[in-house]
Amino acid sequence: MVVEAKTRINLREISNKEDKLAPGHRLCLGCAEGIVVRQVLHAIDYPVVVCSPTGCLEICTGLFPYTAWRVPWVHSAFENAASTIAGVEAAYRALKRRGKIEDRVIKFVVFAGDGATYDIGLQWLSGALERGHTFLYICLNNEAYMNTGIQRSSATLKWTWTTTTPVGKVIPGKKESRKDMTAIIAAHNIPYVAQAAPHAWRDLMTKVRKAIAVDGPSFINILCPCVRGWRYNSKDTIAISKLAADTCVWPLYEVDHGIWRLNYKPSPQRPLTDWFLSQGRFSHLVAPDNANLVIELQQCIDQEWAKLEKLCQCFAD
Amino acid sequence: MSDRLRGKMPEKGWKELPIRGLIIEPGNSVNYETGSWRALRPIINLEKCPHCMFCWLFCPDGSIIVKNSQVTGVDLRYCKGCGICAVECPRQVITMVEEAEVAKETNVW
């Protein structure tokens, strides 16, 4: 069964609703996480319970004694957001069965960073997905541990500058390739997995609606450009997000009940040098000495893209 | 530290704060006005505004004020001045002005 989005999204209509993330939170200016969280929560028409593990979003929205959340929100440790939301969901089901709580549709959502998803919380997340709790897990992927000071994570692209992979004369940045988390989650055979970015807001919000409509776990990996860590001007957040899709660094696709579908095909595909020129964290790659690294990375990205295209073609009518 | 930087909420001692790190008032961050971070102020030319809501959608702070599906202004108490709205506006009706220039004109610092 392929899930269809409930209704078409009308921006003017939803703009009259109150934000579930209140202003006054302390995310950096131009932070994509604020944009993504607002888009996601506006796409969900049901009451929600949110859980955030440690990360940028958690420290900026839940700085005691302030909270920016207008929905019930739980902070858990770095690794166990998936277990926490699974517990909340199981408790709700149990209380409902015993008639101790009002029976209504409640959606359970996790907002986690890439460190909490790719590295620290992978085992917990994998467990919760396998047990089949009904929740939506959203990874706000800013490609490094930004809240502690731009340390590399396994979501960081190869040859990227971070504070723990400094660029020197011998080693030009992070030596390891990033891992394909969305494909790892898709391999759990859960009902809905997707990859999205904030510039494609209709695509993102439709994916959220599809994800909460399924019975079982769902996962969306969302790119969140980071002004401080990626070294660009705060006004360019959405433009950088679009560039990621156009250079195929961040393909937009979904795996709906096992069916892979490409949501956006850039025409023409922009060269990776455009991506490197747009951000300060790649400034060393623009130097002529490192031209071989750019060629190597372009080959990697092209190969990943070709693989994804072929996979999606297998399921095309 | 001035009250402006500290936020509007009066300081509480440990006896007055709820136990176990609970925050019982939802969305009380509205008492913390992040507008003091701003260096550039967005000014919307409302006469030319197409009310497409892109500025509202792409604002990380939700500081675009919308009434009856119409953009009516910017909530300067929270706007941090990132400038995304000015870049993403399809008709370019939002301009970013230096706060110092605004202060000079209005004589309010």
Side-chain angles (χ1 to χ4, degrees):
Chain A
M1 187 193 77
V2 174
V3 181
E4 289 302 323
K6 212 178 73 183
T7 43
R8 198 175 154 79
I9 294 148
N10 184 335
L11 271 192
R12 286 195 185 175
E13 243 168 57
I14 58 169
S15 66
N16 292 318
K17 289 196 292 182
E18 191 189 42
D19 269 320
K20 287 170 187 160
L21 183 77
H25 60 71
R26 278 167 252 187
L27 290 165
C28 304
L29 74 165
C31 177
E33 293 193 351
I35 304 170
V36 169
V37 172
R38 286 183 61 237
Q39 287 185 6
V40 169
L41 292 179
H42 272 298
I44 304 176
D45 286 331
Y46 302 96
V48 286
V49 176
V50 177
C51 174
S52 289
T54 306
C56 284
L57 186 74
E58 174 268 320
I59 56 156
C60 295
T61 56
L63 206 58
F64 194 76
Y66 295 101
T67 178
W69 297 91
R70 289 181 175 134
V71 293
W73 178 75
V74 197
H75 166 226
S76 71
F78 223 137
E79 65 281 4
N80 61 359
S83 317
T84 306
I85 208 75
V88 175
E89 190 256 358
Y92 179 66
R93 267 191 294 132
L95 289 170
K96 215 161 63 171
R97 202 168 50 234
R98 290 176 204 162
K100 290 189 175 173
I101 202 165
E102 194 189 337
D103 186 3
R104 53 180 185 160
V105 182
I106 295 182
K107 299 297 174 188
F108 301 91
V109 183
V110 175
F111 287 107
D114 59 291
T117 309
Y118 281 62
D119 301 341
I120 307 173
L122 181 56
Q123 182 198 328
W124 282 258
L125 173 60
S126 181
L129 296 176
E130 191 267 334
R131 291 192 301 274
H133 297 277
T134 303
F135 70 102
L136 166 60
Y137 193 102
I138 287 175
C139 173
L140 303 168
N141 184 355
N142 52 22
E143 300 194 338
Y145 290 83
M146 295 309 182
N147 102 69
T148 46
I150 324 167
Q151 288 88 6
R152 57 86 89 186
S153 76
S154 54
T156 314
L157 203 68
K158 198 176 181 181
W159 305 127
T160 304
W161 167 90
T162 66
T163 52
T164 44
T165 55
V167 176
K169 281 178 190 158
V170 181
I171 303 170
K174 189 195 172 193
K175 286 195 286 183
E176 301 80 16
S177 302
R178 67 174 172 184
K179 71 171 125 167
D180 190 353
M181 191 64 189
T182 316
I184 294 172
I185 301 295
H188 284 72
N189 295 324
I190 61 169
Y192 191 81
V193 181
Q195 204 160 274
H199 74 278
W201 56 273
R202 194 185 290 284
D203 177 66
L204 190 154
M205 290 165 95
T206 310
K207 280 172 178 168
V208 171
R209 288 194 170 175
K210 284 182 183 179
I212 60 159
V214 298
D215 186 22
S218 46
F219 176 92
I220 306 181
N221 199 349
I222 304 178
L223 189 76
C224 285
C226 170
V227 177
R228 288 288 301 129
W230 294 16
R231 305 291 197 227
Y232 66 86
N233 196 321
S234 68
K235 67 182 185 343
D236 298 327
T237 299
I238 298 298
I240 297 263
S241 163
K242 176 144 183 24
L243 191 59
D246 283 343
T247 51
C248 297
V249 171
W250 194 254
L252 307 180
Y253 65 94
E254 62 186 356
V255 188
D256 194 345
H257 292 83
I259 295 167
W260 290 64
R261 202 181 299 126
L262 208 55
N263 300 114
Y264 176 71
K265 197 176 175 180
S267 63
Q269 180 186 342
R270 289 177 68 178
L272 210 48
T273 38
D274 288 1
W275 178 245
F276 295 146
L277 281 167
S278 67
Q279 295 150 60
R281 62 174 173 156
F282 298 121
S283 57
H284 59 290
L285 292 176
V286 184
D289 294 353
N290 288 330
N292 56 331
L293 302 181
V294 177
I295 294 166
E296 180 205 322
L297 283 168
Q298 182 74 61
Q299 279 171 350
C300 285
I301 295 287
D302 287 347
Q303 201 182 350
E304 277 175 34
W305 177 256
K307 192 177 109 188
L308 183 67
E309 260 191 333
K310 276 221 168 123
L311 200 51
C312 293
Q313 268 167 15
C314 294
F315 294 99
D317 296 328
Chain B
M1 200 162 57
S2 73
D3 285 348
R4 185 155 166 256
L5 289 175
R6 200 183 274 143
K8 270 184 180 170
M9 190 183 273
E11 291 212 339
K12 287 177 183 171
W14 63 272
K15 284 179 184 168
E16 295 141 300
L17 288 168
I19 56 162
R20 291 158 61 200
L22 297 174
I23 310 171
I24 43 184
E25 193 190 339
N28 66 357
S29 67
V30 291
N31 293 315
Y32 192 91
E33 298 183 356
T34 48
S36 62
W37 299 12
R38 189 176 55 247
L40 295 171
R41 177 183 294 201
I43 291 172
I44 309 179
N45 183 349
L46 288 171
E47 280 171 21
K48 288 184 182 169
C49 174
H51 304 286
C52 64
M53 299 299 156
F54 281 6
C55 55
W56 169 84
L57 183 76
F58 291 131
C59 178
D61 297 285
S63 19
I64 304 290
I65 307 166
V66 174
K67 276 180 192 141
N68 298 325
S69 307
Q70 303 282 306
V71 174
T72 56
V74 181
D75 197 337
L76 293 172
R77 289 175 300 168
Y78 307 110
C79 170
K80 293 166 187 162
C82 63
I84 294 176
C85 52
V87 172
E88 295 307 317
C89 178
R91 300 261 179 94
Q92 284 96 40
V93 301
I94 305 177
T95 41
M96 300 303 287
V97 184
E98 290 253 3
E99 279 292 326
E101 295 297 319
V102 179
K104 247 187 243 169
E105 278 170 27
T106 55
N107 212 14
V108 179
W109 291 86

